[in-house]
Amino acid sequence: MRPLIVIGNWKMNGNLAANREWVQIVCHGMEKGMPAGRRYGVCAPYPYLAQCGELIQTCSLAFLSLGAQDVSAHVSGAYTGEVSASMLRELGCTYVIVGHSERREMHQETDELVSEKALQALDNGLTPIICVGETAVERNSGRAVEVVRGQISRQVSILQDRLADCLVAYEPIWAIGTGKVASAQVAQDVHRAIRLQLAEFDEDVASHVCILYGGSVKPENAVELFAMPDIDGGLIGGASLNPRDFLAICQA
Ligand code: 13P
């Protein structure tokens, strides 16, 4: 049985005061009781990881885990501006997003680089959240499943059975920050295709890997999405900035 996992991705948002209020509201809300068998996380910008980690630790119940939004593919050394997986681990991170479409597009990240980042994360006890997804042009030309299967197959070829310790996030690029959510059935169809692709490598891995959906998830559409058999939770951007909306999605 796969758990339901809801993870917020703040992207480049937040400040010391707002983060404090966010963690307080979310932790208090979670302390009142949450559905069983679920996991939650928040991926904050690097400079706020220490602050958020400390704030989360003051919650009386360990519901919420900390995550980062990217990680270096290198162990250490002359890589100005990069942050290593061991540093993230030291700051208390559990999760790290790798290969978000915004990084693939703005920083020319390839599937190979994304796999190397995932390996660094795994080697340091972090759970990588590997993002895949097609553009609007790819979807409109009927190639959505083919594109996503290609991304997954390149991850499989490098990560092999270590994929069992990763999360996958299907984030159709046309649905990110646009308000255009994929319908639950459209998302389910791609999630199923991802699982079948994983099953070609290893059926056990395929049945255990959690596949999250990301792209304009809101409290209003989360219930329907999360009810789909191959959708195991969500990676939430914009709506995760509002602590009450994030809580509502976590409870969906
Ligand atoms: P939105 O929820 O704002 O569409 O962003 C999704 C996302 O990119 C999460 O990583």
Side-chain angles (χ1 to χ4, degrees), residues 44 88 90 110 119 123 135-136 141 145 157 200 202 205 218 241:
L88 297 179
E90 208 170 26
T110 61
L119 283 174
D123 285 348
T135 64
S141 59
V145 166
S157 69
E200 281 177 23
D202 184 315
V205 169
K218 308 253 172 327
L241 297 176

Side-chain angles (χ1 to χ4, degrees), residues 9 11 97 100 102 171 175-178 214-217 235-239:
N9 173 11
K11 308 192 178 183
I97 298 171
H100 191 282
E102 287 152 14
E171 298 206 310
I176 295 178
T178 58
S216 298
V217 179
L235 186 56
I236 322 298

